[in-house]
């Protein structure tokens, strides 16, 4: 209740004692009675929340395109708690709706119900007319009509049937009503053509659709543009008043043909018998309708017309032309007088009628006399009007006569023409005149005055002169006049172009002929003149509501007649009843081609003219142009255009209006141009918003596509500039179905399937899903196989697990964010009708890494075989797959490399024939064959190892032979110096011959290998020792390169024998484990050796500090010869071949068989009294592994003292009675050499000598 009274009641029923709750949504919404603007809804109420329903609410989606459209409240029904139906009013005709309902109680509003089905209201005629209708002058016969089209929701019907009807007629007249239908619903302007000039019209517009017409708009009025009169004045008449004047009269121009304000008249006249340009006599104003034409030719027939003109220009001339002749008068002089025949007593004269006869020629009169001052007698003859020649005789020779010729009309005798003649036969052509001159004061803009001096007339008077000119720089000579008076010495050349350079020349003509042309005059430039032509106005467009832009093109340079200085723009406001004066704006820039006229009055029509000017004046004005001021297109585009991606098919575009000072009127709407990126010409579309909204939802776009959008504002004057294109991209959506599905290489168990990319990807293709299944169960099982292909490529797949003769259904679809629709096709496996039969069972031959399949041709089917295909499969029930295809039809065998197969796998092969009907039946499988490669023997590892070993042995043998041969040659050279070398060792009856110090040095420097131990002899001794139990294990074998030598006392006692305790032979610690013996090995008693000789071979080298120290100073990296070796010694007794030194080089290859060795005595017990240990072995080199040789009559061994793990060399005594030939010689080749001394006392050998090697 307010102060004005009580309002509407609303009530609600509440169950006492039960608290109310939130209601539930209505259900079972049904729609009926669909009309253009209303529908009826039936529904079932939902849970009422233990209280009554106070209001029903209806929401709708309008213009439904997607499920995400906004729900809008369209109807409410209050205070009807028991309602089960309601009518929704004020809907839009022919509009899609989807409804849902809510119910409201005292607690609140229920959730929405489930949406109803989609419905569309019925069509209806438009409810409104187009608004903002304007009418402007377009031309003299057309009007420009504009309006704002209906918005989409006002169509009330099928948009394809929406259009507009334009009706127009003369103002204040109900007759002659015309109409025009425009079928384009988006059209907003129309030009009404074929109207009368300068006529007021009334126009109105209405909208139409398939159901009828809407209301008419308010009528608007407009007048067509002023034009020239469409016909001439009436009642034109002419009357000759004198021989040079005619009076012309005329009447009014019909009102319908005036087409504007009549500003005056022009009388057009010309000589009917000539081709001269018509002349105009202008009469200003519309009050005078007569004029006296003066200065006309005498007795000339004139053709006369009259026209009216407006500000636009001249109208049509009156029809028909009026003919009137001026009155006659005395004639002008005859022309073209010549004397073609001159004798000393007679002459013949010829002529032409007067150029101005001024009437009808009645007779000619000829008078001649001598040209003297005292001659009064003259001869006069009158001739008929047709006469054109006359002969005078009885003349005196060599005399000058004057002839006068005149014509007669009705008005009397006219002006006479005079000519001189000399009665002589010595006449000649005239000489050229002098070079013409043009004084600067005689130069005008369009004419110049030539002056010249005549040349000799050749005793024949000059009859006339001819003047020629040419335009520089390249024009030809042109005759300006060929009838210049013979008495003239100057002539005005007219009709020239202003501001143009010319040259002139003159020639004289007498009765004999023409002279040569004179020299050309100097170049003469005419003066400037006012321009002859106006600029061409290209456009006049409103720029703002008070200004216009004028654009023009200047006239051609030759029509400016000088130097262009600028332009003058004339403009004035137009009024229908009278004209106002022009406002002039001068533009002093000759390069300008546009100007803006500002401070004009709004909503007024203006006339604009343009002219150019130079230093001499202003040229004519251009044809006037009209413009309506007050309406101008926006001069700036909309601002801040932004794009928001809403869905996969919709972009939301928003913008700000153009700046206020650039709108130039009320913005009527916007045009939204949008196109796919880089495809503007092919895909550009336009969406027009006819209300000044600042946003639009562009729908029905392609998913995940980049669009360029530009917006332009428009008002009543037209469209403004577009905004810079803005880029936006729709969201991803499900792709369209693949473009095609194709099958190839169909066999009994496989098929190659390929497909095309979707026509519209609508996003980034993430992959494809292929599903295939048999159309009927195979062996009672219907297996559905789904294969996901990742990525956008490849676009094919080989299906191998198919059954023969079964029809399969294949379905494939692409995926972006989600899967798109499927492409589906069926295919039946196995050979088709007409396909080839199976070839013969293939058999395989193998050679190296290649397999060759052989087969025989089978039934070719209905067409010749085109090629063969080989299939393969692993023998362990693998799937058949095409291995080789496109084998020529003539081939029945094929060789393939094992590299194509997996190594170690057993394969089956079969062959399929192919013809135009497809793949045929396969052959029976071939025997299984392994793909194991068999490498040739020369690629096996053992062969390579053998080759390497053989090569190594060969190299070693070669090196060994080269070394031996080299050492043999060096030893042979030194054989003489060592011929007295004593035998090593001693016999019971012999004495040892030690080497001198110098000899030993020479042997050392020659790198002579002392002795070598014969392998055969060594093996005998070792066997002997083992058989006698001397030892059961060979002594440790120290590496020659890892021995260490101790020489603590050598520096002080090198001249004598060094005790055994001061010299020891040890192994490197790193090799002890390989060379040392056990503690239980046999040890040799050091006292068994007997007495050592003082000057033994070994002691001699041990006692020399030079050699001893040289062993210690051996440099690292020096190559080491072999540590030791065996050789068979020569006999110590004389021999037939013993002419040389008894010790031969070790390279002797002659086999010598030594006598058999005697058995060794048993090993002496350790309890025997020890004898002094001889220094039997000294100076093993630490790097070369040097070991000295023993005397041939002794047996040596290696021993180590108790508790020592380092073997020490020792000399053992030899038996005196033993023959020297029965003892072997142990030689150690190293540098420096050393010898082992041997005692002369006979003692049995204690043990055999074991080799290191």
């Amino acid at each position: 209740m307010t102060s004005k009274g009580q309002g509407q009641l609303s009530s609600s029923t509440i169950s006492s004692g039960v608290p109310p709750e939130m209601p539930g949504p209505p259900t079972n919404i049904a729609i009926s009675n669909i009309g253009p603007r209303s529908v009826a809804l039936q529904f079932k109420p939902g849970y009422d929340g233990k209280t009554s329903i106070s209001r029903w609410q209806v929401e709708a989606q309008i213009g439904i395109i997607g499920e995400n459209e906004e729900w809008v409240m369209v109807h409410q029904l209050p205070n009807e708690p028991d309602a089960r139906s309601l009518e929704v009013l004020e809907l839009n005709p022919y509009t899609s709706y989807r409804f849902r309902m809510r119910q409201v109680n005292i607690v609140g509003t229920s959730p929405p119900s489930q949406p109803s089905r989609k419905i569309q209201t019925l069509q209806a005629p438009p409810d409104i007319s187009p608004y903002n209708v304007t009418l402007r002058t377009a031309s003299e016969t057309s009007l420009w009509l504009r309006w704002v089209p209906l918005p989409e929701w006002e169509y009330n019907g099928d948009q394809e049937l929406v259009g507009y009807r334009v009706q127009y007629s003369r103002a204040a007249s109900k007759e002659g009503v015309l109409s025009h239908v425009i079928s384009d619903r988006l059209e907003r302007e129309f030009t009404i053509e074929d109207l009368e000039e300068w006529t007021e019209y009334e126009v109105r517009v209405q909208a139409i659709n398939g159901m009828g017409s809407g209301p008419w708009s308010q009528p608007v009025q407009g007048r067509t543009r002023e034009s020239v009169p469409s016909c001439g004045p009436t009642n034109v008449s002419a009357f000759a008043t004198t021989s040079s004047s005619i009076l012309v009269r005329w009447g009014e121009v019909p009102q319908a043909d005036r087409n504007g304000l009549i500003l005056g008249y022009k009388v057009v006249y010309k000589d009917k018998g000539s081709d001269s340009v018509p002349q105009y006599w202008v009469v200003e104003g519309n009050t005078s309708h007569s004029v006296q034409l003066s200065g006309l030719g005498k007795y000339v027939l004139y053709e006369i017309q009259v026209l009216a003109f407006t500000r636009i220009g001249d109208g049509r001339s009156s029809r028909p032309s009026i003919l009137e002749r001026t009155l006659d008068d005395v004639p002008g002089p005859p022309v073209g007088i010549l004397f073609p025949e001159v004798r000393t007593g007679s002459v013949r004269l010829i002529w032409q009628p007067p150029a101005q006869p001024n009437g009808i020629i009645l007779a000619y009169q000829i008078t001649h006399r001598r040209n003297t001052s005292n001659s009064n007698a003259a001869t006069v003859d009158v001739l008929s009007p047709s006469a054109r020649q006359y002969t005078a005789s009885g003349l005196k020779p060599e005399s000058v006569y004057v002839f006068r010729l005149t014509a007669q009309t009705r008005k009397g005798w006219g002006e006479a023409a005079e000519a001189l003649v000399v009665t002589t036969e010595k006449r000649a052509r005239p000489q050229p005149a002098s070079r013409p001159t043009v004084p600067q004061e005689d130069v005008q803009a369009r004419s110049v005055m030539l002056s010249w001096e005549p040349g000799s007339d050749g005793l024949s008077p000059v009859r006339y002169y001819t003047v020629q000119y040419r335009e520089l720089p390249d024009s030809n000579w042109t005759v300006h006049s060929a009838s210049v008076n013979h008495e003239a010495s100057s002539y005005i050349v007219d009709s020239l172009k202003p501001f143009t350079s010319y040259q002139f020349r003159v020639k004289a003509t007498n009765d004999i002929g023409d002279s040569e042309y004179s020299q050309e005059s100097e170049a003469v430039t005419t003066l400037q003149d006012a321009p002859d032509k106006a600029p061409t106005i290209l456009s006049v467009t409103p720029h703002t509501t008070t200004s216009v832009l004028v654009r023009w093109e200047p006239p051609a340079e030759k029509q400016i007649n000088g130097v262009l200085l600028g332009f003058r723009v004339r403009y004035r406001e137009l009024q229908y009843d009278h004209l106002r004066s022009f406002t002039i704006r001068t533009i002093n820039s000759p390069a300008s081609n546009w100007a803006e006229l500002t401070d004009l009055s709004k909503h007024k029509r203006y006339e604009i003219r343009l002219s150019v000017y130079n230093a001499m004046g202003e040229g004519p004005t251009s044809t006037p142009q009209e413009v309506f001021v007050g309406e101008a297109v926006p001069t700036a585009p909309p601002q801040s255009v932004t794009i928001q991606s809403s869905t996969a098919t919709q972009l939301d575009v928003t913008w700000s209006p153009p700046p206020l000072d650039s709108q130039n009127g009320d913005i009527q709407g916007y045009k939204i141009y949008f196109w796919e990126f880089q495809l503007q010409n092919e895909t550009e579309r336009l969406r027009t918003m006819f209300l000044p909204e600042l946003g639009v939802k562009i729908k029905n776009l392609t998913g995940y596509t980049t669009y360029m959008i530009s917006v332009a504002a428009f008002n009543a004057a037209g469209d403004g500039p577009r905004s810079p294109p803005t880029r936006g991209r729709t969201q991803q959506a499900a792709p369209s179905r693949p473009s095609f599905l194709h099958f190839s290489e169909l066999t009994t168990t496989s098929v190659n399937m390929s497909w095309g990319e979707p026509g519209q990807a609508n996003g980034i293709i993430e992959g494809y899903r292929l599903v295939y299944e048999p159309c009927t169960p195979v062996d009672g099982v219907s297996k559905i196989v789904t294969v996901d292909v990742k990525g956008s490529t490849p676009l094919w797949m080989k299906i191998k697990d198919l059954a023969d003769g079964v029809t399969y259904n294949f379905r494939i679809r692409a995926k972006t964010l989600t899967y798109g629709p499927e492409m589906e096709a069926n295919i039946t496996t196995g050979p088709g009708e007409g396909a080839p039969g199976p070839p013969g069972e293939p058999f395989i031959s193998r050679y190296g890494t290649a397999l060759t399949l052989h087969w025989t041709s089978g039934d070719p089917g209905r067409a010749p075989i085109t090629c063969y295909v080989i299939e393969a499969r692993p023998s362990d029930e693998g799937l058949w797959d095409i291995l080789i295809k496109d084998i020529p039809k003539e081939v029945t065998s094929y060789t393939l490399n094992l590299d194509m197969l997996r190594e170690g796998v057993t394969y089956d092969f079969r062959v399929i024939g192919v013809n135009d009907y497809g793949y045929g039946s396969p052959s029976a499988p071939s025997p299984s064959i392994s793909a194991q490669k068999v490498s040739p023997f020369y690629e096996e590892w053992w062969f390579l190892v053998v080759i390497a070993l053989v090569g190594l042995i060969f190299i070693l043998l070669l090196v060994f032979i080269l070394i031996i041969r080299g050492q043999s040659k060096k030893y042979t050279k030194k054989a003489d110096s060592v011929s007295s070398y004593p035998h090593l060792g001693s016999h019971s009856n012999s004495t040892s011959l030690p080497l001198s110090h110098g000899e030993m040095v020479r042997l050392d420097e020659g790198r002579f290998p002392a002795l070598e131990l014969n392998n055969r002899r060594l093996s005998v001794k070792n066997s002997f020792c083992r058989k006698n139990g001397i030892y059961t294990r060979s002594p440790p074998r120290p590496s020659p390169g890892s021995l260490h030598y101790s020489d603590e006392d050598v520096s002080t006692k090198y001249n004598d024998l060094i005790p055994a305790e001061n010299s020891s032979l040890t192994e490197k610690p790193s090799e002890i484990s390989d060379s040392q013996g056990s503690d239980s090995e046999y040890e040799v008693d050091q006292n068994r050796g007997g007495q050592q000789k003082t000057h033994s071979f070994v002691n001699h080298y041990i006692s020399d500090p030079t050699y001893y120290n040289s062993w210690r100073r051996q440099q690292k990296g020096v190559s080491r010869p072999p540590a030791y070796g065996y050789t068979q010694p020569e006999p110590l007794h004389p021999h037939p071949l013993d002419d040389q030194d008894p010790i031969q080089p070790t390279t002797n290859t002659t086999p010598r068989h030594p006598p058999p060795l005697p058995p060794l005595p048993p090993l002496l017990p350790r309890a025997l009294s020890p004898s002094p240990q001889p220094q039997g072995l000294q100076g093993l080199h630490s790097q070369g592994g040097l070991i000295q040789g023993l005397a041939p009559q002794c047996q040596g061994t290696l021993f180590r003292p108790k508790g020592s793990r380092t073997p020490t060399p020792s000399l053992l005594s030899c038996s005196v009675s033993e023959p020297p030939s029965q003892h072997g010689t142990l030689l150690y080749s190293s540098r420096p050499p050393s010898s082992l001394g041997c005692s002369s006392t006979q003692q049995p050998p204690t043990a055999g000598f074991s080799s290191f090697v």
Side-chain angles (χ1 to χ4, degrees), residues 54-125:
S54 61
R55 186 169 64 255
W56 305 95
Q57 295 179 349
V58 180
E59 298 175 345
Q61 286 180 325
I62 305 174
I64 305 162
I65 294 179
E67 297 295 333
N68 298 324
E69 290 293 323
E70 181 183 4
W71 289 92
V72 180
M73 181 77 69
V74 294
H75 185 71
Q76 294 188 84
L77 180 62
N79 300 325
E80 294 288 342
D82 298 328
R84 298 296 180 268
S85 66
L86 53 85
E87 185 177 11
V88 181
L89 304 175
E90 299 180 356
L91 302 180
N92 294 325
Y94 203 69
T95 304
S96 297
Y97 287 91
R98 180 183 285 124
F99 300 99
R100 70 183 185 185
M101 292 185 62
R102 300 175 188 262
Q103 55 188 30
V104 183
N105 64 11
I106 195 172
V107 176
T109 303
S110 71
S113 65
Q114 291 294 321
S116 68
R117 63 184 176 91
K118 177 182 176 181
I119 62 101
Q120 187 178 53
T121 54
L122 301 181
Q123 298 186 64

Side-chain angles (χ1 to χ4, degrees), residues 470-799:
R470 69 173 178 180
E471 184 177 338
L472 297 179
D474 299 325
S475 295
N476 297 323
W477 289 100
T478 303
V479 174
H480 184 272
S481 176
S483 60
V484 179
N485 190 283
H486 63 281
E487 294 180 350
S489 61
S490 64
Y491 178 75
I492 296 177
V493 182
D494 57 5
S495 301
L496 300 180
K497 297 178 182 179
F499 206 58
T500 305
S501 296
Y502 291 93
Q503 278 185 319
F504 304 93
R505 65 182 182 179
V506 179
K507 75 175 179 179
T509 303
N510 63 9
D511 296 334
I512 302 303
D514 299 333
S515 71
E516 298 293 334
Y517 277 103
S518 66
Q519 294 182 10
E520 294 91 348
S521 68
E522 293 183 355
V524 178
T525 302
T526 55
L527 301 181
Q528 298 187 60
D529 199 1
D532 291 335
K533 190 174 181 180
T536 302
I537 297 179
L538 301 177
S539 65
V540 180
T541 56
H543 185 226
T544 67
T545 56
T546 59
S547 66
V548 295
L549 284 178
V550 183
R551 301 182 184 276
W552 64 82
E553 182 179 8
E557 184 178 358
K558 64 181 180 180
Q559 296 171 328
I560 295 176
N561 298 336
V563 178
L564 177 64
L565 298 180
F567 302 86
R568 288 192 175 101
V569 182
R570 288 175 167 81
Y571 60 97
R572 64 183 173 183
E573 182 184 336
L574 287 178
Q575 295 181 353
Y576 293 131
D577 52 351
H578 67 279
L579 294 177
R580 302 181 63 176
S581 61
F582 282 103
T583 301
I584 300 177
R585 178 182 172 186
T586 301
I587 300 170
N588 295 321
S589 173
S592 297
N593 59 4
W594 67 275
E596 182 178 6
L597 305 179
T598 59
D599 299 328
L600 306 180
S601 299
K602 288 185 178 181
H603 308 295
K604 299 294 183 180
R605 293 170 55 247
Y606 278 82
E607 174 189 354
I608 299 174
R609 295 174 182 262
L610 193 64
S611 64
V612 296
Y613 69 92
N614 58 19
M616 302 305 295
E618 184 180 352
T621 59
S622 65
T623 303
Q625 297 288 329
E626 290 186 17
V627 64
F628 184 85
V629 179
E631 294 177 348
V633 298
T635 55
Q639 308 295 305
S640 304
V641 179
T642 59
I643 302 175
Q644 182 68 36
S645 179
S646 178
T647 65
T649 60
Q650 176 178 317
L651 292 175
D652 296 340
V653 185
T654 59
W655 60 86
S656 300
L660 188 61
D661 58 352
S662 64
Q663 294 182 8
N664 298 330
D666 295 333
I667 299 297
Q668 295 183 353
Y670 296 90
K671 289 186 176 181
I672 298 91
Y673 300 87
F674 58 98
W675 62 91
E676 294 184 15
F677 181 61
Q678 295 182 343
L679 294 175
Q680 181 173 2
N681 295 334
E682 296 84 357
T683 63
E684 184 177 49
R685 288 180 281 173
L686 172 64
R687 175 79 179 272
T688 304
M689 302 295 296
F690 292 104
L691 293 178
E693 298 180 357
L694 300 178
V696 65
K697 299 180 184 294
I698 303 178
K699 302 179 180 180
N700 298 329
L701 302 179
T702 305
Y704 202 69
T705 302
T706 300
Y707 285 88
M708 306 299 292
I709 299 178
S710 181
V711 184
F714 64 87
N715 57 17
D719 299 340
R722 293 187 186 186
S723 64
T726 305
R727 182 180 301 185
R729 187 168 68 182
T730 54
Q731 298 179 6
Q732 294 194 64
S736 61
R737 61 192 297 179
S739 55
F740 64 86
L741 188 58
H742 179 69
F743 298 97
S744 62
E745 300 179 4
L746 177 64
T747 66
T748 57
T749 60
S750 66
V751 66
N752 193 0
M753 172 184 172
S754 59
W755 59 89
E757 296 180 345
Q760 295 179 344
N762 297 335
I764 300 175
I765 300 296
E766 296 182 358
Y768 296 87
R769 171 164 289 180
L770 170 65
V771 179
Y772 63 95
E773 60 180 326
C775 295
T776 57
V778 178
D779 297 332
V781 177
S782 181
K783 182 176 67 171
I784 300 176
V785 180
T786 301
V787 181
D788 288 330
V789 180
K790 300 298 182 181
S792 58
T793 55
L795 300 178
W796 62 274
M797 176 173 287
K798 187 65 174 289
I799 311 299

Side-chain angles (χ1 to χ4, degrees), residues 772-1055:
Y772 63 95
E773 60 180 326
C775 295
T776 57
V778 178
D779 297 332
V781 177
S782 181
K783 182 176 67 171
I784 300 176
V785 180
T786 301
V787 181
D788 288 330
V789 180
K790 300 298 182 181
S792 58
T793 55
L795 300 178
W796 62 274
M797 176 173 287
K798 187 65 174 289
I799 311 299
K800 305 177 184 178
D801 57 343
L802 306 180
D804 187 12
V806 177
T807 300
Y808 285 85
N809 174 257
F810 288 84
R811 303 183 298 275
I812 189 169
R813 53 183 178 171
K815 178 185 179 183
T816 54
L817 290 178
T818 183
Y819 284 100
E822 293 179 334
M823 169 69 76
E824 184 175 1
N826 291 345
I827 191 70
T828 302
T829 58
E833 186 176 357
E841 179 179 351
F843 64 93
I844 302 174
S845 60
R846 179 168 183 168
Y847 177 77
T849 60
L851 298 178
T852 301
L853 274 73
H854 306 268
W855 65 87
T856 57
S857 301
D859 180 15
R862 295 184 180 179
I865 297 291
T866 58
C867 64
Y868 287 98
V869 170
I870 296 176
E871 287 189 323
R873 71 172 181 186
S875 299
D876 53 351
E877 299 183 357
L879 299 177
W880 288 102
D881 192 10
I882 294 177
L883 182 64
I884 304 295
K885 57 184 178 181
D886 297 332
I887 300 174
K889 59 183 179 180
E890 301 84 3
V891 175
T892 56
S893 65
Y894 189 85
T895 301
L896 56 93
N897 199 299
L898 290 180
D899 293 337
M900 302 173 62
L901 307 175
R902 287 181 296 171
E903 187 173 359
V905 178
T906 301
Y907 284 89
D908 299 333
F909 299 92
R910 65 182 184 183
V911 182
I912 301 175
V914 183
N915 64 8
D916 293 339
Y917 289 90
Y919 282 57
S921 300
S923 67
S926 68
S928 299
I929 188 169
S930 175
Q932 183 67 41
K933 294 182 180 180
V934 179
S935 301
F937 71 92
Y938 51 79
E939 293 183 1
E940 296 291 342
W941 66 270
W942 55 266
F943 180 79
L944 299 178
V945 172
V946 169
I947 293 298
L949 292 176
V950 170
L952 180 60
I953 292 173
F954 176 79
I955 293 172
L956 291 176
L957 288 176
L958 180 61
V959 171
F960 180 76
I961 292 172
L962 293 176
I963 291 173
I964 296 302
R965 288 181 60 86
Q967 294 296 344
S968 298
K969 292 179 180 179
K970 293 178 181 180
Y971 178 72
T972 303
K973 293 179 181 180
K974 298 180 181 181
D976 296 338
S977 63
V978 295
S979 58
S980 60
Y981 187 76
H983 295 285
L984 294 178
S986 63
H987 195 266
S988 59
N989 298 325
S990 65
T991 305
S992 107
L993 300 176
L995 293 173
S996 68
H997 176 75
E999 292 171 342
M1000 286 186 291
V1001 171
R1002 284 194 299 272
L1003 288 175
D1004 175 61
E1005 290 175 352
R1007 296 192 181 183
F1008 168 67
L1011 297 172
E1012 289 188 23
L1013 181 63
N1014 187 279
N1015 289 334
R1016 178 177 176 184
R1017 184 70 174 271
L1018 177 62
S1019 61
V1020 174
K1021 292 183 178 182
N1022 290 340
S1023 301
F1024 176 82
C1025 294
R1026 285 194 298 268
K1027 290 179 180 180
N1028 289 276
I1030 302 304
Y1031 58 90
T1032 59
R1033 178 175 178 178
S1034 299
R1037 302 169 60 186
S1039 173
S1042 60
L1043 298 179
H1044 175 70
Y1045 303 95
S1046 175
D1047 56 350
E1048 296 175 357
D1049 298 332
V1050 169
S1051 60
T1052 57
K1053 302 173 67 176
Y1054 57 85
N1055 288 324

Side-chain angles (χ1 to χ4, degrees), residues 1056-1234:
D1056 203 351
L1057 295 177
I1058 300 175
E1061 292 81 358
N1062 295 333
S1063 179
S1064 62
L1065 177 64
T1066 61
E1067 295 183 75
K1068 281 186 177 180
S1070 61
E1071 299 179 3
I1072 290 177
S1073 59
D1074 296 331
S1075 61
Q1076 68 185 8
S1078 63
D1079 293 339
S1080 60
E1081 292 178 353
Y1082 291 100
E1083 297 182 1
V1084 181
D1085 190 352
Q1086 300 180 12
N1087 295 324
R1088 294 185 180 183
Q1091 297 295 327
Q1092 182 178 353
K1093 295 187 69 69
T1094 303
H1095 297 290
S1096 66
F1097 185 82
V1098 176
N1099 290 338
H1100 173 80
Y1101 278 86
I1102 292 178
S1103 62
D1104 192 337
T1106 301
Y1107 295 102
Y1108 181 83
N1109 293 330
S1110 66
W1111 302 339
R1112 299 181 61 200
R1113 292 193 303 267
Q1114 182 69 30
Q1115 294 181 358
K1116 293 183 178 181
V1118 178
S1119 60
R1120 298 186 293 264
Y1124 47 83
Y1126 283 103
T1127 185
Q1128 190 164 338
E1130 293 293 336
L1132 297 179
H1133 299 287
H1135 191 273
L1137 299 178
D1138 285 347
D1139 297 334
Q1140 298 177 355
D1141 193 294
I1143 299 178
Q1144 299 296 329
T1146 58
T1147 56
N1148 187 4
T1149 58
T1150 303
R1152 303 233 181 149
H1153 301 283
L1157 293 174
L1160 293 174
L1163 183 63
L1164 296 177
R1166 189 178 291 267
L1168 295 176
S1169 61
S1171 62
Q1173 174 64 38
Q1175 300 298 324
L1177 183 60
Q1178 289 289 343
L1180 292 178
H1181 197 281
S1182 61
Q1183 294 200 18
L1186 180 63
I1187 303 176
Q1188 289 73 21
L1190 296 175
Q1193 296 177 354
C1194 302
Q1195 292 293 333
T1197 184
L1198 291 175
F1199 71 94
R1200 67 180 178 187
K1202 189 69 173 180
S1204 173
R1205 304 185 61 89
T1206 302
T1208 303
S1210 174
L1211 275 180
L1212 302 180
S1213 300
C1214 300
S1215 175
V1216 177
S1217 61
E1218 191 173 355
S1221 62
Q1222 296 179 0
H1223 296 275
T1225 303
L1226 176 61
L1227 297 179
Y1228 295 91
S1229 63
S1230 180
R1231 183 183 182 190
S1234 180

